Amino acid sequence: MLEKEIEKIGIPAVQISTMTPIAVTVGSNRVLPGGGILHPVGNADLNAEEERRFRRKLVEQALVALQTKLTEQRLFDSPV
């Protein structure tokens, strides 16, 4: 996973994934559940304004995850 390689060089990264068990199994440090298999950072079932809010919450949660000091792998709560 790309997230792991970025972390190896000292840059914190978050993996937004709809398949969180796999992300955890491969060792991603910061895992954030996404929206759905076809749209991990969106939701095609929402109207444009609702999807904008959905995406904003997801990015805000990812920023919280980036700022979190870790001592071990962590699965963050989905903001939606």
Side-chain angles (χ1 to χ4, degrees):
M1 297 284 179
L2 185 58
E3 181 271 340
K4 283 178 54 176
E5 296 303 314
I6 294 170
E7 293 261 351
K8 280 182 185 177
I9 61 171
I11 300 171
V14 177
Q15 180 174 351
I16 298 173
S17 175
T18 55
M19 301 192 328
T20 55
I22 293 171
V24 169
T25 299
V26 299
S28 294
N29 289 319
R30 293 174 176 86
V31 180
L32 178 61
I37 297 294
L38 297 178
H39 306 279
V41 292
N43 185 335
D45 294 329
L46 301 175
N47 67 43
E49 182 60 27
E50 291 170 332
E51 185 169 27
R52 186 188 69 75
R53 284 193 296 269
F54 172 89
R55 289 178 181 210
R56 182 175 182 96
K57 287 180 186 177
L58 195 60
V59 169
E60 288 171 349
Q61 183 64 18
L63 290 172
V64 167
L66 282 174
Q67 297 173 21
T68 302
K69 300 280 187 199
L70 298 180
T71 56
E72 60 186 19
Q73 184 181 43
R74 181 166 169 193
L75 175 62
F76 288 82
D77 293 330
S78 175
V80 290

Coordinates of all heavy atoms in Angstrom, one line a residue:
M1 N 0.8 -1.2 0.0 CA 0.0 0.0 0.0 C 0.9 1.3 0.0 O 1.9 1.3 0.7 CB -0.9 0.0 1.2 CG -1.9 -1.1 1.3 SD -3.2 -0.8 0.1 CE -4.2 -2.2 0.3
L2 N 0.5 2.2 -0.7 CA 1.2 3.5 -0.9 C 1.3 4.2 0.5 O 2.4 4.8 0.8 CB 0.5 4.4 -1.9 CG 1.2 5.6 -2.3 CD1 2.6 5.4 -2.8 CD2 0.4 6.4 -3.3
E3 N 0.3 4.1 1.3 CA 0.3 4.8 2.6 C 1.5 4.3 3.4 O 2.2 5.1 4.0 CB -1.0 4.5 3.3 CG -1.1 5.2 4.7 CD -0.6 4.3 5.8 OE1 -0.5 3.1 5.6 OE2 -0.3 4.9 6.9
K4 N 1.8 3.1 3.4 CA 2.9 2.5 4.2 C 4.2 3.0 3.7 O 5.1 3.4 4.5 CB 2.9 1.0 4.1 CG 1.8 0.3 5.0 CD 1.8 -1.2 4.9 CE 3.2 -1.8 5.1 NZ 3.2 -3.2 5.1
E5 N 4.4 3.2 2.4 CA 5.7 3.7 1.9 C 5.9 5.1 2.2 O 7.0 5.6 2.5 CB 5.7 3.4 0.4 CG 5.7 2.0 0.0 CD 6.8 1.2 0.6 OE1 8.0 1.6 0.5 OE2 6.6 0.1 1.1
I6 N 4.8 5.9 2.2 CA 4.9 7.3 2.5 C 5.3 7.5 4.0 O 6.1 8.3 4.4 CB 3.6 8.1 2.2 CG1 3.3 8.1 0.7 CG2 3.6 9.5 2.8 CD1 2.0 8.6 0.3
E7 N 4.7 6.7 4.9 CA 5.0 6.7 6.3 C 6.4 6.3 6.5 O 7.1 6.8 7.5 CB 4.1 5.7 7.1 CG 2.6 6.2 7.1 CD 2.2 6.9 8.4 OE1 3.0 6.9 9.3 OE2 1.1 7.4 8.4
K8 N 7.0 5.4 5.8 CA 8.4 4.9 6.0 C 9.4 6.1 5.9 O 10.4 6.1 6.5 CB 8.7 3.9 4.9 CG 8.2 2.5 5.3 CD 8.7 1.5 4.2 CE 8.1 0.1 4.5 NZ 8.5 -0.8 3.4
I9 N 9.1 7.1 5.0 CA 10.0 8.2 4.9 C 9.7 9.4 5.8 O 10.2 10.5 5.7 CB 10.1 8.7 3.4 CG1 8.7 9.2 2.9 CG2 10.6 7.6 2.5 CD1 8.8 9.9 1.6
G10 N 8.7 9.1 6.8 CA 8.5 10.1 7.8 C 7.3 11.0 7.6 O 7.2 12.0 8.3
I11 N 6.5 10.8 6.6 CA 5.4 11.7 6.3 C 4.1 10.9 6.7 O 3.8 9.8 6.2 CB 5.3 12.0 4.8 CG1 6.6 12.7 4.3 CG2 4.1 12.9 4.5 CD1 6.7 12.9 2.9
P12 N 3.3 11.5 7.7 CA 2.1 10.8 8.1 C 1.1 10.8 6.9 O 1.0 11.7 6.1 CB 1.6 11.7 9.2 CG 2.4 12.9 9.2 CD 3.5 12.8 8.4
A13 N 0.4 9.6 6.8 CA -0.6 9.4 5.7 C -1.7 8.7 6.3 O -1.6 7.9 7.3 CB 0.1 8.7 4.6
V14 N -2.9 8.9 5.6 CA -4.1 8.2 6.0 C -4.6 7.4 4.8 O -4.6 7.9 3.7 CB -5.2 9.2 6.4 CG1 -6.5 8.4 6.7 CG2 -4.8 10.0 7.6
Q15 N -5.0 6.1 5.0 CA -5.6 5.4 3.9 C -7.1 5.4 4.1 O -7.6 4.9 5.1 CB -5.1 3.9 3.9 CG -5.7 3.1 2.8 CD -5.1 1.8 2.7 OE1 -4.2 1.4 3.3 NE2 -5.8 1.0 1.8
I16 N -7.8 6.0 3.2 CA -9.3 6.0 3.2 C -9.6 4.7 2.4 O -9.3 4.6 1.2 CB -9.9 7.2 2.5 CG1 -9.5 8.5 3.4 CG2 -11.4 7.1 2.5 CD1 -9.9 9.8 2.7
S17 N -10.3 3.8 3.0 CA -10.5 2.5 2.4 C -11.9 2.0 2.7 O -12.5 2.2 3.8 CB -9.5 1.5 3.0 OG -9.8 0.2 2.5
T18 N -12.5 1.4 1.8 CA -13.8 0.7 2.0 C -13.6 -0.7 2.4 O -14.6 -1.4 2.8 CB -14.7 0.8 0.8 OG1 -14.0 0.3 -0.4 CG2 -15.0 2.3 0.5
M19 N -12.4 -1.2 2.3 CA -12.1 -2.6 2.7 C -11.1 -2.5 3.9 O -9.9 -2.9 3.7 CB -11.6 -3.3 1.5 CG -12.6 -3.3 0.4 SD -12.5 -4.4 -1.0 CE -10.8 -4.6 -1.4
T20 N -11.6 -2.0 5.0 CA -10.7 -1.7 6.1 C -10.0 -3.0 6.7 O -8.9 -2.9 7.1 CB -11.5 -1.0 7.2 OG1 -12.7 -1.8 7.6 CG2 -11.9 0.4 6.8
P21 N -10.7 -4.1 6.7 CA -9.9 -5.3 7.2 C -8.6 -5.6 6.4 O -7.6 -6.0 6.9 CB -10.9 -6.5 7.0 CG -12.2 -5.8 7.1 CD -12.1 -4.5 6.4
I22 N -8.7 -5.3 5.1 CA -7.5 -5.6 4.2 C -6.5 -4.5 4.5 O -5.3 -4.8 4.7 CB -7.9 -5.6 2.7 CG1 -8.8 -6.8 2.4 CG2 -6.7 -5.5 1.8 CD1 -9.4 -6.8 1.1
A23 N -6.9 -3.2 4.7 CA -5.9 -2.2 5.0 C -5.2 -2.4 6.3 O -4.0 -2.2 6.4 CB -6.7 -0.8 5.0
V24 N -6.0 -2.9 7.3 CA -5.4 -3.2 8.6 C -4.5 -4.4 8.4 O -3.3 -4.4 9.0 CB -6.5 -3.5 9.6 CG1 -5.9 -4.1 10.9 CG2 -7.3 -2.2 9.9
T25 N -4.9 -5.5 7.7 CA -4.0 -6.7 7.5 C -2.7 -6.4 6.9 O -1.7 -6.9 7.3 CB -4.8 -7.7 6.7 OG1 -6.0 -8.1 7.4 CG2 -4.0 -9.0 6.5
V26 N -2.7 -5.5 5.9 CA -1.4 -5.2 5.2 C -0.6 -4.2 6.0 O 0.5 -3.9 5.6 CB -1.7 -4.6 3.8 CG1 -2.4 -5.7 2.9 CG2 -2.4 -3.3 3.7
G27 N -1.1 -3.7 7.1 CA -0.3 -2.9 8.0 C -0.4 -1.4 7.9 O 0.5 -0.7 8.3
S28 N -1.4 -0.9 7.2 CA -1.5 0.6 7.1 C -1.7 1.1 8.6 O -2.4 0.6 9.4 CB -2.8 1.0 6.3 OG -2.6 0.6 5.0
N29 N -1.0 2.2 8.9 CA -1.0 2.8 10.2 C -2.3 3.5 10.6 O -2.8 3.4 11.6 CB 0.2 3.7 10.4 CG 1.5 2.9 10.5 OD1 1.5 1.8 11.1 ND2 2.5 3.4 9.9
R30 N -2.8 4.4 9.7 CA -4.0 5.2 9.9 C -5.0 4.8 8.8 O -4.8 5.1 7.6 CB -3.7 6.7 9.8 CG -2.8 7.2 10.8 CD -2.4 8.7 10.5 NE -1.6 9.3 11.6 CZ -0.3 9.2 11.7 NH1 0.4 8.5 10.8 NH2 0.3 9.7 12.7
V31 N -6.1 4.1 9.2 CA -7.1 3.7 8.3 C -8.4 4.4 8.6 O -8.8 4.4 9.8 CB -7.3 2.1 8.4 CG1 -8.3 1.7 7.4 CG2 -5.9 1.4 8.2
L32 N -9.0 5.0 7.6 CA -10.3 5.7 7.8 C -11.3 5.0 6.8 O -11.0 5.0 5.6 CB -10.1 7.1 7.4 CG -11.3 8.0 7.5 CD1 -11.9 8.1 8.9 CD2 -11.0 9.4 7.0
P33 N -12.4 4.5 7.3 CA -13.4 3.9 6.4 C -14.0 4.9 5.5 O -14.3 6.0 5.8 CB -14.5 3.4 7.4 CG -13.8 3.3 8.7 CD -12.8 4.3 8.7
G34 N -14.1 4.5 4.2 CA -14.6 5.4 3.2 C -16.1 5.1 3.0 O -16.8 4.4 3.7
G35 N -16.7 5.8 1.9 CA -18.1 5.7 1.7 C -18.6 4.4 1.1 O -19.7 3.9 1.6
G36 N -18.0 3.9 0.2 CA -18.5 2.6 -0.5 C -17.5 2.1 -1.5 O -16.6 2.8 -1.9
I37 N -17.7 0.9 -1.9 CA -16.7 0.2 -2.8 C -16.5 1.0 -4.1 O -15.3 1.3 -4.4 CB -17.2 -1.2 -3.1 CG1 -17.2 -2.1 -1.9 CG2 -16.3 -1.8 -4.2 CD1 -15.9 -2.4 -1.2
L38 N -17.5 1.5 -4.7 CA -17.4 2.2 -6.0 C -17.0 3.7 -5.8 O -16.4 4.3 -6.7 CB -18.7 2.1 -6.8 CG -19.1 0.7 -7.2 CD1 -20.4 0.8 -8.0 CD2 -18.0 0.1 -8.1
H39 N -17.3 4.2 -4.6 CA -17.0 5.6 -4.4 C -16.5 5.8 -3.0 O -17.1 6.3 -2.0 CB -18.3 6.4 -4.5 CG -19.0 6.2 -5.8 ND1 -18.7 6.9 -6.9 CD2 -20.1 5.5 -6.1 CE1 -19.5 6.5 -7.9 NE2 -20.3 5.6 -7.4
P40 N -15.2 5.5 -2.8 CA -14.6 5.5 -1.4 C -14.6 6.9 -0.8 O -14.6 7.0 0.4 CB -13.2 5.0 -1.6 CG -12.9 4.9 -3.0 CD -14.2 5.0 -3.7
V41 N -14.5 7.9 -1.6 CA -14.5 9.3 -1.0 C -15.7 10.1 -1.4 O -15.7 11.3 -1.5 CB -13.2 10.1 -1.3 CG1 -12.0 9.4 -0.6 CG2 -13.0 10.1 -2.8
G42 N -16.8 9.4 -1.7 CA -18.0 10.0 -2.1 C -19.2 9.1 -1.9 O -19.1 8.0 -1.3
N43 N -20.4 9.5 -2.3 CA -21.6 8.7 -2.2 C -22.5 9.1 -3.3 O -23.2 10.2 -3.2 CB -22.2 8.9 -0.8 CG -23.4 8.0 -0.6 OD1 -24.1 7.6 -1.5 ND2 -23.7 7.7 0.7
A44 N -22.6 8.3 -4.3 CA -23.4 8.6 -5.5 C -24.9 8.7 -5.2 O -25.7 9.2 -6.0 CB -23.1 7.6 -6.6
D45 N -25.3 8.1 -4.1 CA -26.7 8.1 -3.8 C -27.2 9.5 -3.2 O -28.4 9.7 -3.0 CB -27.1 7.0 -2.8 CG -26.8 5.6 -3.3 OD1 -27.0 5.5 -4.6 OD2 -26.5 4.7 -2.6
L46 N -26.3 10.4 -2.9 CA -26.6 11.7 -2.3 C -26.8 12.7 -3.4 O -26.1 12.6 -4.4 CB -25.6 12.1 -1.3 CG -25.3 11.1 -0.1 CD1 -24.1 11.6 0.7 CD2 -26.5 11.0 0.7
N47 N -27.5 13.8 -3.1 CA -27.6 14.9 -4.0 C -26.3 15.7 -3.9 O -25.5 15.4 -3.0 CB -28.8 15.8 -3.8 CG -28.8 16.5 -2.5 OD1 -27.8 17.1 -2.1 ND2 -29.9 16.5 -1.8
A48 N -26.0 16.6 -4.8 CA -24.8 17.3 -4.8 C -24.4 18.0 -3.5 O -23.2 17.9 -3.1 CB -24.8 18.3 -6.0
E49 N -25.3 18.6 -2.9 CA -25.0 19.3 -1.6 C -24.7 18.4 -0.5 O -23.8 18.6 0.3 CB -26.2 20.3 -1.2 CG -25.9 21.0 0.1 CD -24.7 22.0 0.0 OE1 -24.3 22.4 -1.1 OE2 -24.1 22.2 1.0
E50 N -25.5 17.3 -0.4 CA -25.2 16.3 0.7 C -23.9 15.6 0.4 O -23.2 15.3 1.4 CB -26.4 15.2 0.7 CG -27.7 15.8 1.1 CD -28.8 14.8 0.9 OE1 -28.8 14.0 0.0 OE2 -29.8 14.9 1.7
E51 N -23.6 15.3 -0.8 CA -22.3 14.7 -1.1 C -21.1 15.6 -0.7 O -20.1 15.2 -0.2 CB -22.2 14.2 -2.5 CG -20.9 13.4 -2.7 CD -20.8 12.7 -4.1 OE1 -21.4 13.1 -5.0 OE2 -20.1 11.7 -4.1
R52 N -21.3 16.9 -1.0 CA -20.2 17.8 -0.6 C -20.0 17.8 0.9 O -18.9 17.8 1.3 CB -20.6 19.3 -1.1 CG -19.5 20.3 -0.8 CD -20.0 21.7 -1.1 NE -21.0 22.2 -0.1 CZ -20.6 22.5 1.1 NH1 -19.4 22.5 1.6 NH2 -21.6 22.9 2.0
R53 N -21.1 17.8 1.7 CA -21.0 17.7 3.1 C -20.3 16.4 3.5 O -19.5 16.3 4.4 CB -22.3 17.9 3.8 CG -22.8 19.3 3.8 CD -24.0 19.5 4.8 NE -25.2 18.7 4.4 CZ -26.2 19.2 3.6 NH1 -26.1 20.4 3.1 NH2 -27.2 18.4 3.3
F54 N -20.7 15.3 2.9 CA -20.1 14.0 3.2 C -18.6 14.0 2.9 O -17.8 13.6 3.8 CB -20.8 12.9 2.2 CG -20.1 11.6 2.3 CD1 -20.5 10.6 3.2 CD2 -19.1 11.2 1.4 CE1 -19.9 9.4 3.3 CE2 -18.5 10.0 1.5 CZ -18.9 9.1 2.4
R55 N -18.2 14.5 1.8 CA -16.8 14.6 1.5 C -16.0 15.5 2.4 O -14.9 15.2 2.8 CB -16.6 15.1 0.0 CG -17.0 14.0 -1.0 CD -16.8 14.6 -2.4 NE -17.3 13.6 -3.3 CZ -16.8 13.4 -4.5 NH1 -15.8 14.3 -5.0 NH2 -17.2 12.5 -5.3
R56 N -16.6 16.6 2.8 CA -16.0 17.5 3.8 C -15.7 16.8 5.1 O -14.6 16.9 5.7 CB -16.8 18.8 3.9 CG -16.1 19.8 4.9 CD -16.9 21.1 5.0 NE -16.2 22.0 5.8 CZ -15.3 22.9 5.4 NH1 -15.1 23.1 4.1 NH2 -14.7 23.7 6.3
K57 N -16.7 16.1 5.6 CA -16.6 15.4 6.9 C -15.5 14.3 6.8 O -14.7 14.2 7.7 CB -17.9 14.7 7.3 CG -19.0 15.6 7.8 CD -20.2 14.9 8.1 CE -21.4 15.8 8.5 NZ -22.6 15.0 8.7
L58 N -15.4 13.7 5.6 CA -14.4 12.6 5.4 C -13.0 13.3 5.5 O -12.1 12.8 6.1 CB -14.6 11.9 4.1 CG -13.9 10.6 3.9 CD1 -14.3 9.6 5.0 CD2 -14.2 10.1 2.5
V59 N -12.8 14.4 4.8 CA -11.5 15.1 4.8 C -11.2 15.6 6.1 O -10.0 15.5 6.6 CB -11.5 16.2 3.7 CG1 -10.3 17.1 3.8 CG2 -11.6 15.6 2.3
E60 N -12.2 16.2 6.8 CA -11.9 16.7 8.2 C -11.4 15.5 9.1 O -10.5 15.7 9.9 CB -13.1 17.3 8.8 CG -13.4 18.7 8.1 CD -14.8 19.3 8.5 OE1 -15.6 18.6 9.1 OE2 -15.0 20.5 8.2
Q61 N -12.1 14.4 9.0 CA -11.7 13.2 9.8 C -10.3 12.7 9.4 O -9.5 12.4 10.3 CB -12.7 12.1 9.7 CG -12.4 10.9 10.6 CD -12.4 11.2 12.1 OE1 -13.0 12.2 12.5 NE2 -11.8 10.4 12.9
A62 N -10.0 12.8 8.2 CA -8.6 12.4 7.7 C -7.6 13.3 8.3 O -6.5 12.9 8.7 CB -8.6 12.4 6.2
L63 N -7.9 14.6 8.3 CA -6.9 15.6 8.9 C -6.7 15.3 10.4 O -5.6 15.5 10.9 CB -7.4 17.0 8.7 CG -7.4 17.5 7.2 CD1 -8.1 18.8 7.1 CD2 -6.0 17.6 6.7
V64 N -7.8 15.0 11.1 CA -7.7 14.6 12.5 C -6.7 13.4 12.6 O -5.8 13.3 13.5 CB -9.0 14.3 13.2 CG1 -8.9 13.6 14.5 CG2 -9.8 15.6 13.3
A65 N -6.9 12.4 11.8 CA -6.1 11.2 11.8 C -4.6 11.5 11.5 O -3.7 11.0 12.2 CB -6.6 10.2 10.7
L66 N -4.4 12.5 10.6 CA -3.0 12.9 10.3 C -2.3 13.5 11.5 O -1.1 13.4 11.7 CB -3.0 13.8 9.1 CG -3.1 13.3 7.7 CD1 -3.2 14.4 6.7 CD2 -2.0 12.3 7.4
Q67 N -3.1 14.2 12.3 CA -2.5 14.9 13.4 C -2.4 14.1 14.7 O -1.8 14.5 15.7 CB -3.4 16.1 13.8 CG -3.4 17.2 12.7 CD -4.4 18.3 12.9 OE1 -4.8 18.5 14.1 NE2 -4.8 18.9 11.9
T68 N -2.9 12.9 14.6 CA -2.9 12.0 15.8 C -1.5 11.2 15.9 O -1.1 10.6 14.9 CB -4.0 10.9 15.7 OG1 -5.3 11.7 15.6 CG2 -4.1 10.0 16.8
K69 N -0.9 11.3 17.0 CA 0.4 10.6 17.2 C 0.0 9.1 17.5 O -0.9 8.8 18.2 CB 1.1 11.1 18.5 CG 1.5 12.6 18.3 CD 2.7 12.7 17.5 CE 3.2 14.2 17.6 NZ 4.1 14.5 16.5
L70 N 0.7 8.3 16.8 CA 0.4 6.8 17.0 C 1.6 6.1 17.6 O 2.7 6.4 17.4 CB 0.2 6.2 15.6 CG -1.0 6.7 14.7 CD1 -1.0 6.0 13.4 CD2 -2.3 6.6 15.5
T71 N 1.2 5.1 18.4 CA 2.2 4.1 18.9 C 1.9 2.8 18.3 O 2.7 1.9 18.4 CB 2.1 4.1 20.5 OG1 0.7 3.7 20.8 CG2 2.5 5.4 21.1
E72 N 0.7 2.6 17.7 CA 0.3 1.4 17.0 C -0.7 1.7 15.9 O -1.2 2.8 15.9 CB -0.2 0.4 18.0 CG -1.5 0.8 18.7 CD -1.9 -0.1 19.8 OE1 -1.1 -1.0 20.2 OE2 -3.1 0.0 20.2
Q73 N -0.9 0.8 15.1 CA -1.9 0.9 14.0 C -3.3 1.3 14.6 O -3.6 0.8 15.7 CB -2.0 -0.5 13.3 CG -2.8 -0.5 12.1 CD -2.8 -2.0 11.6 OE1 -2.9 -2.9 12.3 NE2 -2.7 -2.1 10.2
R74 N -4.0 2.1 13.8 CA -5.3 2.6 14.3 C -6.3 2.6 13.2 O -6.1 3.2 12.2 CB -5.2 3.9 15.0 CG -6.5 4.4 15.6 CD -6.3 5.5 16.5 NE -7.6 6.1 16.8 CZ -7.8 7.3 17.4 NH1 -6.8 8.0 17.7 NH2 -9.0 7.7 17.6
L75 N -7.5 2.1 13.5 CA -8.7 2.2 12.6 C -9.5 3.4 13.2 O -10.1 3.3 14.3 CB -9.5 0.9 12.6 CG -10.8 1.0 11.8 CD1 -10.5 1.3 10.3 CD2 -11.5 -0.4 11.9
F76 N -9.7 4.5 12.5 CA -10.4 5.6 12.9 C -11.9 5.4 12.6 O -12.3 4.7 11.7 CB -9.9 6.9 12.2 CG -8.6 7.3 12.7 CD1 -7.4 6.8 12.3 CD2 -8.5 8.3 13.7 CE1 -6.2 7.2 12.7 CE2 -7.2 8.7 14.2 CZ -6.1 8.1 13.7
D77 N -12.7 6.1 13.4 CA -14.2 6.0 13.2 C -14.6 6.8 11.9 O -14.0 7.9 11.6 CB -14.9 6.7 14.4 CG -14.8 5.9 15.6 OD1 -14.6 4.6 15.5 OD2 -14.8 6.4 16.7
S78 N -15.5 6.2 11.2 CA -16.0 6.9 10.0 C -16.8 8.1 10.4 O -17.6 8.0 11.4 CB -16.9 5.9 9.2 OG -17.5 6.6 8.2
P79 N -16.7 9.2 9.8 CA -17.4 10.4 10.1 C -18.9 10.4 9.7 O -19.6 11.3 10.0 CB -16.7 11.5 9.4 CG -16.1 10.9 8.2 CD -15.8 9.5 8.7
V80 N -19.3 9.4 8.9 CA -20.7 9.3 8.4 C -21.3 8.1 8.9 O -20.8 7.1 9.2 CB -20.7 9.4 6.9 CG1 -20.3 10.8 6.5 CG2 -19.7 8.4 6.3

